[in-house]
Amino acid sequence: MKLAYYPGCSLSTTGIEYNMSTLAVARTLGLDLWEIPEWNCCGASSAHLTNHLLALALPARNLAIAEEAGLDVAVPCAACFARFKATEAAVKDSAETRATIEEVIGRKYEAKYTVKSLLDVFVNTVGLSQIKTLVNRPLEGLKVAPYYGCLLVRPHKITQFDDPEDPVTIDQIMSAIGAEPVYWGYKTECCGAAHPTVVPEVGLKMLKSIYQGARDAGADCIVTACPLCLTNLDMRQKEVGEQNNTQYNLPVFYFTELVGLALGHDPHTLGIDKHFVDALAFLKNKGFLNPVQNRRDSE
Amino acid sequence: MLKNLEEVRVFMERINLTPGLAQAKPIRDSLKEHCGTDVGRCYQCGKCTAGCPVAFAMDYTPREIVRLLQLGLKEEALKSKTIWLCATCDTCSTRCPREVEPAKLMEGLRQEAKAKGLVADKRLDLFNDLFLQLVEKYGRVHEMGLILKFNLLSAQPLKDAGHGPGMFLKGKINPLPHTIKDNGEVKQIFARVRALGGEGK
Amino acid sequence: MKRVGVFICHCGTNIAHTVDCEKVAKTAAEFPHVVFSTDYKYMCSEPGQMVIKNAIKEHKLDRIVVASCSPRMHEPTFRKCMESAGLNPYLMEMANIREHCSWVHPDKEKGTEKAIDLVKMAVAKVVKNTPLTRSSIPIHKRALVIGGGIAGIQAALDIADAGYVVDIVEKEPSIGGRMAQVDKTFPTLDCSACILTPKMVDAAQHPNINLVTYSEIEKVEGYVGNFEVTIRHKARSVDVSKCTGCGTCWEKCPTKVASEFELGLGTRKAIYTPFPQAVPNKPVIDRDNCRYFKTGKCMVCQKLCPTGAVDYTQEDQLETIRYGAIVVATGFDLFDHSVYGEYGYGKYPDVITGLQFERLINASGPTAGKIKRPSDHKEPKTIVFIKCVGSRDEAKGKPYCSKTCCMYTAKHATLVKEKIKDSQAIVFYMDVRTPGKNYEEFYQRAVDEYGVQYVRGRVSKIYQKGDKLIVKGEDTLLGKQVEVEADMVVLATAMVARSDAGDLARKVGFSYDQHDFFTEAHPKLRPVETHTAGVYLAGACQGPKDIPDSVSQASAAAAKVCGLLSKNEMATEPIISAVNESICSGCGLCISICPYKAIDLKTITERVHGKMLERQVAAVNSGLCQGCGACTVACRSSALNLRGFTNEQILAEVDALCL
């Protein structure tokens, strides 16, 4: 299965481990990810908040390149996914918009192929049963709080692949690799996006309620599919804990890292050593770092 | 006594509705056109505010912003912090029983506030500007660089300094800005959008 | 020579402000065949009608045109006026210069011009009018009530008391309907069963009422006064003539399934009556769940039945009965709140509906009247009520207000405070709507005396945290976000039409709206009739209603039925289709076009070249034809013509306007 792959800016900097784990796991799952050459930033929420046309045009250039190659596009980052989907929908919706966008990017783009979230690809293209059969280190006893945030599920008429109020794809993947997804009420609450950085007095409070929710639900860790959510939840956790005289001790993972671990990859290959909240020690404690047979890294 | 009286702060001044109400219809129509959402449909149930993750920090709740617009008090809405604090999480739009889509409304109001120079929270606006400057220049965004530059310009240079070394050691910060080989194409996108005035629904 | 009189009405200023009535009258006087033309302030008034009658006499008019309002308003008035002047009432035409002219045009000059055109057309038409006579059809003096809830029961009792035989067809094993599921009634808090069961028993014992339970309407044919209704008696598997209702069978039956009557909160057996006060108190076997029907083994009920009433070999029976009138009283369903993801998609056990709450507080319910929450059977201390779930919500539910929820939620909250002394009852609402006698007082009592806390705002999210339900809302009066840690949440879910309402409406042949509620003939002036003569509506099948409204409507429908059945025959409108048999080819296209099933083929014998030949032609049933004219358009040989609107008449109007 060959797909165009758009890593996006985060996956080469703050979310580098998302890229590492995605590429490692994709190989095992038989996914051929073709990185869109010379891709550009999707504009993220900044373009979206400032300029409607720019917000459509920046993703469109990348989509046009993938369309030339005749491929559906897999997008790991939730923010990029949301922007790509919005462009895809706008182009499908109106010939006029399409013409304007094509003029701005200087390329042809007809939205002939589909933009898919990497989560969607795992669950609906690869399939849960395929993942399940490849597991050789089931993460039994690991209680994870699946955290989707906003952009993977809203607005539903654009994102579509999962439910806006009770999304399940991460839950299903976690169950497939033997972990136990906990039920909690903050699956789709907002992490604050740029707020923890830009207006920390607001953003950190938003994070606090998510940590508290995960803790109340009895989770050991949080698992997500969004680099911005992960950066916020991981990097700010200590600070928020200190503000509230507590330590949350909730490592935050990309779902691809945990899948990689369950498929027998080395945690360093997956980038698990790159987190602020010590994920390696946590996994070691849980006994998930013991060597397994048929290590995938040698493949 | 007198001194005390002078210290009385007026929290809630009576609003004269008459001038605003004359504006209510044109405001409603222009929002319909520019944001694709109809404030006249809102019946003030508060479900948007009830689920809003940022409402605690807002000066007007999302419902109250819609109310201001219904009463023709748009200036007040444009000057609010609320429109800048909205995180665009879209929870309100997803749950609104009248399909009003407050998130879209906030987006439109921000753009208008910016055009009119009424930005109530400069930090978020600055952040977005810096972000796009980087995209235009390099084609991609160098996140940590963006954060550091933002902190510098928003006069809090040491705010996230603690995270820098960690990021660096973990290979998350590349000292060189990311770029694509030939960024001419992206620069052109910016130029063409500017030429078109940024509109285009 | 035809002698036409023209009468132009001012309708006060309704017409006169946009139409120069005097000018219209003067112009009309010049039209062909017109021998008299005048205008008057109110043509429909007594003196107005006198103007017409006098003119008919004085000018020997043989037909008239009245230019006034819509024929829907005053056509009967002017027809009667014609009759009393000794003319055939169908030699009268109306030109609608109000709804079609003065009300919709601002310009007086152009309005006047249009009014003149409308009158000109009416004159051209009336010249072609021929006298029509009403015929009559016999009326079969027996009524059918579909649905055995409180509306159906009340309608049946009223009809039966007036001396007519009436059958109640109920699809469930017992009559009683939704009211049987309700615990207390507002605004008096008297027990629902205490006031319902006597009526159920009355219905069962009334000499003029036949209860036809566990049965459904299969087919309806015929027309007012003469409906041919086929009823499917579903196989009960119990011979009701032998069964004494002793209860041995359902006590001993080994199979337990979720009870529909208890809305999943309790269980019943595979052989069961839905509730203890069931009427008739005779069980049915639920064959989908019965062990014998599934495996061929068991037969416990048959072995133990002291009267040998259990009969596994029963089959559905069809029966066709003739009725003069039908009352439809099929009630409502509850909105399925599982579309509300933010309220847990119906998956949280302690988020229940208002009707489920009725069962929880009912002495004969699954908890024997103790309020216990479904998950762990603990007594909840903090109960949140959420109104307008599915109602007033275009995004996920229905745009309309369900009308009853404000009151029953106030009732529920009151009962919580009464039954659990140290409890909190919190109601999230958008509006409190209490228009009804003693309703507002009841709501205020819930607030003042019982201390129910009302919070204005829609709830955005409910999620489970441990054994609590976290309810997030906004107090819109404060402009602040609020949160409640609740033990149980009760949703006031919308009243919606029965899922099979549309099917029934199509079967019986009457109209329904976009929400599948049945449509009354006029929202204000004919609220219990349908557009189909002889079919009447009662209760929530027509729109959300509480018990007093349903009962009033049922009695109103019964009065209509009695009015109809009191006559031996009824006049039928002569404006129906007629077949010119000599040119009908018998193709039958009109049969498939006719929405009222009023056309059939019949065989006629005719002489052709000296031989007698048989052939088929269309035949219109005058009882069924509603005069819609669809067949006349479909007919390829123009053999069908609508009396009063013949092709010749309509072409005369067109010619008058265009030539």
Side-chain angles (χ1 to χ4, degrees):
Chain A
M1 168 58 76
K2 187 171 176 178
L3 291 162
Y5 177 61
Y6 177 83
C9 305
S10 292
L11 272 73
S12 43
T13 55
T14 48
I16 196 163
E17 63 276 33
Y18 196 7
N19 196 39
M20 293 164 74
S21 53
T22 298
L23 295 177
V25 170
R27 272 194 303 278
T28 315
L29 296 176
L31 277 175
D32 181 1
L33 298 179
W34 174 76
E35 183 168 330
I36 294 171
E38 293 294 299
W39 55 264
N40 61 276
C41 171
C42 71
S45 52
S46 291
H48 176 50
L49 296 183
T50 344
N51 187 310
H52 188 71
L53 182 56
L54 186 65
L56 294 176
L58 288 171
R61 177 178 169 271
N62 302 302
L63 288 170
I65 298 173
E67 193 165 275
E68 282 159 30
L71 294 171
D72 285 345
V73 186
V75 185
C77 168
C80 302
F81 168 71
R83 299 321 324 149
F84 275 42
K85 270 298 196 196
T87 299
E88 183 189 87
V91 166
K92 276 187 179 163
D93 239 32
S94 141
E96 199 189 325
T97 307
R98 183 184 132 193
T100 315
I101 289 174
E102 287 182 333
E103 188 197 325
V104 168
I105 64 173
R107 284 172 187 265
K108 203 170 152 68
Y109 174 56
E110 298 175 75
K112 280 194 285 192
Y113 298 90
T114 310
V115 176
K116 290 177 177 175
S117 142
L118 190 66
L119 260 183
D120 186 12
V121 170
F122 270 44
V123 172
N124 297 311
T125 309
V126 176
L128 294 167
S129 58
Q130 172 70 1
I131 295 173
K132 218 168 179 172
T133 43
L134 290 168
V135 167
N136 59 10
R137 177 157 51 194
L139 305 183
E140 274 159 16
L142 185 69
K143 290 174 124 183
V144 301
Y147 178 72
Y148 298 78
C150 317
L151 299 167
L152 286 168
V153 290
R154 285 187 299 261
H156 181 61
K157 60 177 179 252
I158 289 180
T159 58
Q160 285 183 341
F161 78 98
D162 209 339
D163 189 279
E165 293 292 352
D166 186 16
V168 292
T169 41
I170 298 181
D171 296 59
Q172 288 169 338
I173 294 172
M174 290 303 112
S175 297
I177 60 171
E180 184 192 329
V182 301
Y183 167 82
W184 64 321
Y186 290 83
K187 271 184 171 182
T188 61
E189 285 286 309
C190 178
C191 72
H195 284 22
T197 302
V198 182
V199 277
E201 73 280 12
V202 177
L204 298 188
K205 269 195 154 172
M206 296 168 79
L207 290 169
K208 181 192 161 194
S209 62
I210 296 169
Y211 299 135
Q212 196 58 49
R215 176 190 269 182
D216 290 343
D220 302 325
C221 60
I222 299 173
V223 58
T224 182
C226 172
L228 184 55
C229 297
L230 186 131
T231 304
N232 277 334
L233 287 167
D234 187 30
M235 191 167 90
R236 310 284 176 186
Q237 195 174 124
K238 192 165 164 233
E239 190 177 350
V240 176
E242 280 164 4
Q243 277 182 6
N244 295 286
N245 301 316
T246 184
Q247 281 190 322
Y248 294 107
N249 296 325
L250 288 163
V252 192
F253 295 101
Y254 292 106
F255 74 101
T256 45
E257 292 176 302
L258 292 183
V259 172
L261 195 67
L263 298 186
H265 287 280
D266 176 79
H268 295 89
T269 315
L270 300 167
I272 291 177
D273 53 340
K274 295 184 183 299
H275 293 297
F276 283 84
V277 179
D278 194 343
L280 271 183
F282 164 81
L283 291 173
K284 193 167 181 211
N285 248 329
K286 291 265 170 194
F288 294 133
L289 297 189
N290 303 331
V292 287
Q293 294 201 322
N294 307 322
R295 272 271 297 268
R296 300 287 181 189
D297 307 301
S298 48
E299 280 174 20
Chain B
M1 266 310 270
L2 238 158
K3 192 165 182 294
N4 277 346
L5 270 180
E6 278 163 16
E7 279 169 9
V8 168
R9 248 183 80 198
V10 178
F11 284 107
M12 277 179 266
E13 202 159 2
R14 186 183 298 272
I15 300 168
N16 179 1
L17 289 180
T18 319
L21 287 177
Q23 288 306 305
K25 178 77 168 61
I27 286 172
R28 178 180 173 186
D29 291 344
S30 100
L31 289 169
K32 243 194 261 183
E33 196 191 324
H34 293 106
C35 312
T37 179
D38 183 358
V39 293
R41 285 179 54 79
C42 170
Y43 56 25
Q44 293 287 312
C45 72
K47 199 173 181 185
C48 50
T49 303
C52 175
V54 208
F56 68 88
M58 291 173 169
D59 45 1
Y60 287 103
T61 68
R63 177 186 56 78
E64 288 169 337
I65 291 287
V66 178
R67 187 71 192 134
L68 287 172
L69 296 168
Q70 287 177 330
L71 292 174
L73 304 169
K74 187 160 88 175
E75 192 81 0
E76 196 66 20
L78 290 174
K79 286 192 287 193
S80 73
K81 285 188 180 158
T82 296
I83 60 173
W84 296 97
L85 285 173
C86 165
T88 335
C89 77
D90 230 24
T91 306
C92 49
S93 303
T94 303
R95 293 180 187 158
C96 174
R98 300 282 292 165
E99 295 165 331
V100 173
E101 304 200 62
K104 266 195 193 168
L105 202 60
M106 301 289 176
E107 192 183 325
L109 292 175
R110 268 191 301 263
Q111 290 174 10
E112 190 173 340
K114 192 168 178 184
K116 290 189 172 163
L118 295 172
V119 180
D121 194 319
K122 301 261 188 310
R123 292 172 294 175
L124 285 150
D125 189 43
L126 171 67
F127 182 84
N128 292 335
D129 284 348
L130 290 176
F131 188 103
L132 292 178
Q133 280 168 21
L134 285 177
V135 180
E136 185 170 9
K137 196 164 175 193
Y138 301 115
R140 291 180 192 171
V141 170
H142 178 220
E143 285 180 321
M144 223 42 215
L146 168 68
I147 291 173
L148 295 176
K149 191 165 181 192
F150 167 78
N151 288 344
L152 201 66
L153 288 174
S154 62
Q156 38 190 350
L158 297 176
K159 185 167 71 72
D160 286 312
H163 297 300
M167 284 274 184
F168 188 76
L169 288 173
K170 290 173 197 297
K172 291 193 167 193
I173 305 181
N174 193 322
L176 298 169
H178 293 256
T179 183
I180 47 184
K181 273 182 236 147
D182 175 15
N183 194 34
E185 224 178 309
V186 175
K187 283 187 175 134
Q188 262 189 353
I189 291 176
F190 275 82
R192 288 189 188 126
V193 167
R194 258 182 220 119
L196 287 170
E199 284 304 316
K201 287 238 155 184
Chain C
M1 187 64 190
K2 314 269 164 62
R3 297 183 63 83
V4 180
V6 176
F7 302 88
I8 314 293
C9 178
H10 295 217
C11 195
T13 56
N14 269 308
I15 294 171
H17 83 289
T18 334
V19 171
D20 181 344
C21 296
E22 209 176 314
K23 187 176 172 191
V24 177
K26 275 196 183 132
T27 314
E30 307 302 319
F31 294 154
H33 303 290
V34 174
V35 296
F36 177 77
S37 178
T38 190
D39 58 303
Y40 189 76
K41 200 163 187 185
Y42 291 108
M43 233 24 151
C44 61
S45 66
E46 284 282 338
Q49 295 185 49
M50 278 314 291
V51 169
I52 296 176
K53 286 179 204 168
N54 290 338
I56 289 174
K57 208 190 279 177
E58 215 170 292
H59 299 277
K60 300 193 171 55
L61 304 177
D62 64 2
R63 60 202 63 215
I64 68 164
V65 167
V66 181
S68 58
C69 52
S70 162
R72 280 186 69 114
M73 305 300 299
H74 277 302
E75 199 173 53
T77 311
F78 296 119
R79 282 197 180 144
K80 277 189 197 119
C81 177
M82 289 286 281
E83 265 181 315
S84 69
L87 292 179
N88 182 285
Y90 294 90
L91 294 174
M92 188 276 297
E93 285 297 324
M94 287 185 79
N96 182 355
I97 59 169
R98 193 177 73 173
E99 284 87 341
H100 287 181
C101 188
S102 71
W103 276 0
V104 287
H105 299 298
D107 185 319
K108 188 157 186 175
E109 201 176 313
K110 287 184 177 165
T112 305
E113 216 174 287
K114 181 172 174 181
I116 291 169
D117 280 344
L118 291 169
V119 172
K120 197 202 271 179
M121 290 164 70
V123 169
K125 187 184 176 202
V126 81
V127 168
K128 305 265 179 194
N129 279 22
T130 51
L132 299 177
T133 44
R134 299 187 180 100
S135 59
S136 66
I137 46 171
I139 290 168
H140 194 79
K141 292 174 186 283
R142 179 170 178 163
L144 167 67
V145 173
I146 307 174
I150 183 59
I153 292 171
Q154 184 64 48
L157 284 170
D158 290 351
I159 297 167
D161 283 344
Y164 303 105
V165 173
V166 50
D167 298 347
I168 301 179
V169 171
E170 166 60 55
K171 71 174 175 186
E172 298 297 328
S174 167
I175 58 167
R178 293 291 182 201
M179 192 175 166
Q181 290 175 290
V182 171
D183 179 54
K184 299 278 193 300
T185 55
F186 58 77
T188 46
L189 286 186
D190 45 349
C191 149
S192 181
C194 307
I195 56 175
L196 172 68
T197 44
K199 287 210 180 259
M200 290 165 63
V201 173
D202 279 356
Q205 293 176 347
H206 202 293
N208 282 340
I209 296 180
N210 302 305
L211 294 189
V212 189
T213 54
Y214 209 49
S215 298
E216 289 181 31
I217 302 301
E218 187 79 9
K219 196 166 75 174
V220 177
E221 290 181 315
Y223 47 91
V224 55
N226 299 274
F227 293 105
E228 298 277 346
V229 180
T230 306
I231 297 166
R232 173 179 294 273
H233 301 283
K234 293 182 280 187
R236 211 174 178 111
S237 313
V238 170
D239 182 341
V240 287
S241 64
K242 291 183 190 160
C243 172
T244 60
C246 71
T248 311
C249 56
W250 67 76
E251 268 163 38
K252 302 294 179 190
C253 171
T255 308
K256 268 190 186 173
V257 291
S259 158
E260 296 83 2
F261 185 83
E262 301 295 354
L263 301 157
L265 295 175
T267 57
R268 61 161 170 83
K269 297 297 182 62
I271 185 166
Y272 72 105
T273 60
F275 54 100
Q277 308 96 317
V279 173
N281 188 31
K282 317 232 163 153
V284 299
I285 293 181
D286 163 12
R287 293 187 172 184
D288 293 338
N289 287 302
C290 168
R291 192 178 288 181
Y292 172 74
F293 280 98
K294 277 162 75 179
T295 66
K297 294 191 183 108
C298 184
M299 299 173 93
V300 168
C301 52
Q302 194 178 56
K303 280 175 215 152
L304 293 177
C305 177
T307 59
V310 175
D311 177 4
Y312 299 127
T313 66
Q314 270 188 7
E315 280 175 21
D316 288 8
Q317 303 280 333
L318 294 180
E319 183 185 12
T320 302
I321 303 176
R322 175 171 289 217
Y323 296 102
I326 299 175
V327 176
V328 183
T330 48
F332 66 97
D333 268 334
L334 280 181
F335 179 79
D336 176 7
H337 66 271
S338 69
V339 301
Y340 278 84
E342 60 271 48
Y343 299 166
Y345 284 119
K347 287 187 285 199
Y348 303 142
D350 296 329
V351 177
I352 63 172
T353 67
L355 200 57
Q356 285 178 316
F357 186 79
E358 297 283 350
R359 297 314 303 151
L360 277 191
I361 46 173
N362 189 280
S364 69
T367 55
K370 294 237 161 39
I371 304 176
K372 294 177 186 169
R373 60 186 204 163
S375 63
D376 54 10
H377 305 290
K378 280 190 195 149
E379 185 178 71
K381 295 292 179 198
T382 303
I383 302 185
V384 165
F385 294 88
I386 303 179
K387 296 208 287 191
C388 299
V389 177
S391 308
R392 304 174 73 195
D393 185 346
E394 278 128 294
K396 294 200 172 72
K398 306 286 181 185
Y400 56 78
C401 162
S402 288
K403 203 176 174 189
T404 57
C405 325
C406 282
M407 284 304 290
Y408 77 64
T409 299
K411 177 188 76 177
H412 289 168
T414 300
L415 291 172
V416 163
K417 297 293 277 185
E418 204 163 65
K419 288 210 172 188
I420 309 171
K421 292 294 171 211
D422 56 343
S423 65
Q424 286 294 337
I426 299 133
V427 179
F428 281 91
Y429 72 101
M430 290 198 290
D431 296 289
V432 180
R433 297 176 171 176
T434 55
K437 196 172 173 184
N438 293 320
Y439 283 14
E440 175 67 13
E441 296 90 321
F442 181 86
Y443 153 60
Q444 287 302 346
R445 227 172 13 252
V447 177
D448 306 344
E449 280 177 35
Y450 289 91
V452 176
Q453 198 58 255
Y454 274 71
V455 180
R456 193 196 172 280
R458 243 186 206 282
V459 166
S460 172
K461 190 171 172 78
I462 304 171
Y463 66 93
Q464 202 132 22
K465 183 178 160 191
D467 68 345
K468 296 281 183 189
L469 290 158
I470 309 299
V471 179
K472 288 185 164 181
E474 183 197 3
D475 185 325
T476 58
L477 303 180
L478 270 182
K480 295 222 184 293
Q481 292 181 311
V482 295
E483 185 175 299
V484 180
E485 281 193 9
D487 299 310
M488 190 162 91
V489 177
V490 182
L491 307 177
T493 47
M495 282 170 102
V496 297
R498 291 270 185 195
S499 58
D500 56 357
D503 294 341
L504 182 76
R506 283 191 299 275
K507 247 183 232 171
V508 182
F510 57 88
S511 48
Y512 53 99
D513 67 17
Q514 72 268 40
H515 308 298
D516 288 0
F517 285 120
F518 301 150
T519 310
E520 65 284 1
H522 188 282
K524 281 149 279 182
L525 301 177
R526 296 172 68 196
V528 300
E529 293 157 81
T530 64
H531 281 296
T532 305
V535 179
Y536 306 95
L537 302 174
C541 61
Q542 181 258 347
K545 253 176 224 75
D546 59 14
I547 295 168
D549 281 2
S550 296
V551 171
S552 321
Q553 205 190 10
S555 287
K560 287 281 169 193
V561 169
C562 294
L564 176 65
L565 298 189
S566 68
K567 300 176 204 143
N568 291 322
E569 50 184 30
M570 69 178 287
T572 57
E573 263 302 313
I575 298 180
I576 57 169
S577 257
V579 184
N580 181 347
E581 290 178 357
S582 64
I583 54 173
C584 174
S585 68
C587 72
L589 190 61
C590 51
I591 298 173
S592 57
I593 290 285
C594 178
Y596 303 99
K597 302 176 203 154
I599 307 181
D600 269 324
L601 284 180
K602 71 170 182 185
T603 306
I604 57 164
T605 318
E606 60 186 1
R607 184 183 293 272
V608 181
H609 303 305
K611 277 188 212 159
M612 295 303 284
L613 287 178
E614 278 193 352
R615 68 182 181 94
Q616 296 220 299
V617 294
V620 177
N621 181 322
S622 62
L624 288 176
C625 177
Q626 303 287 316
C628 73
C631 56
T632 68
V633 183
C635 181
R636 285 182 285 218
S637 52
S638 292
L640 283 154
N641 224 340
L642 186 63
R643 289 188 185 129
F645 290 88
T646 60
N647 294 337
E648 299 73 37
Q649 286 175 296
I650 288 166
L651 284 172
E653 287 187 280
V654 175
D655 285 349
L657 185 67
C658 304
L659 288 183

